[in-house]
Amino acid sequence: MKKKFILLTTFIVFICSISSIWAEPNVSSPSAILMDAKSGRILYEKDADIKRFPASTTKIMTAILCIEHGNLDDMVTIGTNPSLVERGSSQIYLIPEEKLTLEQLLYAMMLESANDAAVAIAEHISGSAEEFAKLMNERAKELGAQNTNFVNPNGLHDDNHVTTARDLALIAKHGMTLPKFREVVNTVKYTIPETNKQPVRDYITNTNKLIWKSNKKYSYEYAIGIKTGYTVKAKNNLVAGALKEGTELISVVMAENGISDSSNVYSATKELFEYGFSSYSNKNLLTKNQVVTTIMLPGSDEKMNLLAAEDYDLLVSNEEIPKIESSINVIDKIKKPIEKNQVLGFISYSLDGKEVKKIDLLSAEELLAPEKSAKRFLKWLLWFFILYILWRTFVVYSRYLRKKRRKREAPVLFMNRRRGRLW
């Protein structure tokens, strides 16, 4: 009886552990999303399209534009606006006429969340914070962030300064494709050397506690950074990235209740990541230059291999693997000439009937048109004939020279023989 009870208990614990792994996260935050950083596939979402105040997560876009439009070695002279940011907000207390590099301002903005550094960057890139906000909105639309409106470069509250969890994930996804952005957001501490106005700033520390190795309460071993945000009206926001065994995820948690250092936003983010890593894995579907199919060229007996234009992995759960479908489409009426790596079709992958990726299929080799093939043959034949003529000319001329030399040497040889000497 006791043995049966132990077995039953073990079985129940096993079943519960499996269900806890596969169950969707119980996130209390008003808005949240979990995205595959490579494909952009959404693994979890909760009210991800409701417009909310982003607070300092705004600086993700400011950092992107700083890297894409600026020279990080530029020396920036601080204007008058950085010192006029909201009193009590995060800043490094820049002084007018102080000189720092654009890179130093970038680190100050993304780690210390310095609002004055964000304004200095905006003025350096666009001349004013207002003009920079226009650039921010243009870039947001290009990245697919359709429900975003930026008013300033730092996220200090404005009723018209809004975004969504989905939009923030899309913006962060792009940011993490920039090597300098990845480096900055995963840096825990940074030092700004002495400037012409102020001593060394050695206190620059990342506000994202997920990457703090010394704080086990908040840290997450797979975290690779990004950005926190907090204002009274926005509440707690956290955009985070995590990388485990080749799978990279981006999470967004918005409007989490609590004071600015509340642990709720971190626990919710960790729960999202654990759900993603335990429930999904990368399945390789294609390898670049893999032969996907072989086609017969119309009107001939020639065949052509079609190759995959790129590698493709899809992040899926085990339950979804049987639901992956693919279809191959080849261009109608393919005719010679065909160049190598010419697009001749595509392979489309779908999951649950919804297309998730379309990849070009390329020709494996070059095939010339019949008339061009004939012309090429005649060209090579002509070159062969010319080379043959040159070779025969060389051979005949060499023989001629040998005969001529023998005739010159014959009388001398005859005289030497008569004298009994043979040279």
Side-chain angles (χ1 to χ4, degrees), residues 16 25 48 63-64 74 118 129 155 179 189 191 198 213 295 328 341 394:
C16 290
I64 289 171
D74 282 353
K189 282 188 168 292
T191 297
Q198 298 199 58
K213 304 303 180 186
I295 61 172
I328 296 174
N341 292 328
F394 173 76

Side-chain angles (χ1 to χ4, degrees), residues 36 41 43 247 249 280-282 313-317 320:
D36 172 25
R41 186 188 176 199
L43 309 180
T247 298
L249 304 177
Y280 293 85
S281 60
N282 276 310
D313 298 333
L314 181 61
L315 195 67
V316 291
S317 67
E320 291 175 323

Side-chain angles (χ1 to χ4, degrees), residues 152-273:
N152 58 59
N154 49 32
L156 289 175
H157 184 76
D158 186 296
D159 285 342
N160 295 317
H161 189 93
V162 293
T163 188
T164 67
R166 191 185 309 278
D167 283 3
L168 278 178
L170 288 169
I171 294 168
K173 175 179 178 292
H174 173 69
M176 293 301 275
T177 66
L178 307 175
K180 188 63 180 180
F181 183 94
R182 292 180 72 93
E183 175 191 316
V184 171
V185 299
N186 199 26
T187 300
V188 178
K189 282 188 168 292
Y190 184 77
T191 297
I192 297 177
E194 180 181 357
T195 68
N196 62 321
K197 294 286 186 178
Q198 298 199 58
V200 173
R201 295 174 171 94
D202 58 2
Y203 56 82
I204 309 298
T205 304
N206 202 318
T207 58
N208 180 5
K209 298 176 184 177
L210 286 176
I211 64 172
W212 290 10
K213 304 303 180 186
S214 60
N215 191 325
K216 300 300 181 183
K217 179 180 178 180
Y218 297 109
S219 66
Y220 183 64
E221 61 178 320
Y222 304 114
I224 52 175
I226 305 186
K227 190 71 187 75
T228 62
Y230 174 80
T231 65
V232 174
K233 291 188 176 181
K235 300 180 183 177
N236 287 284
N237 296 327
L238 175 58
V239 182
L243 177 64
K244 180 182 179 182
E245 297 174 356
T247 298
E248 186 170 330
L249 304 177
I250 291 173
S251 73
V252 180
V253 175
M254 296 191 75
E256 177 64 55
N257 286 314
I259 58 176
S260 59
D261 62 346
S262 171
S263 63
N264 293 345
V265 72
Y266 292 105
S267 60
T269 298
K270 289 180 188 180
E271 188 173 352
L272 285 170
F273 284 145

Side-chain angles (χ1 to χ4, degrees), residues 7 102 360:
L7 289 172
L102 190 60
D360 288 338

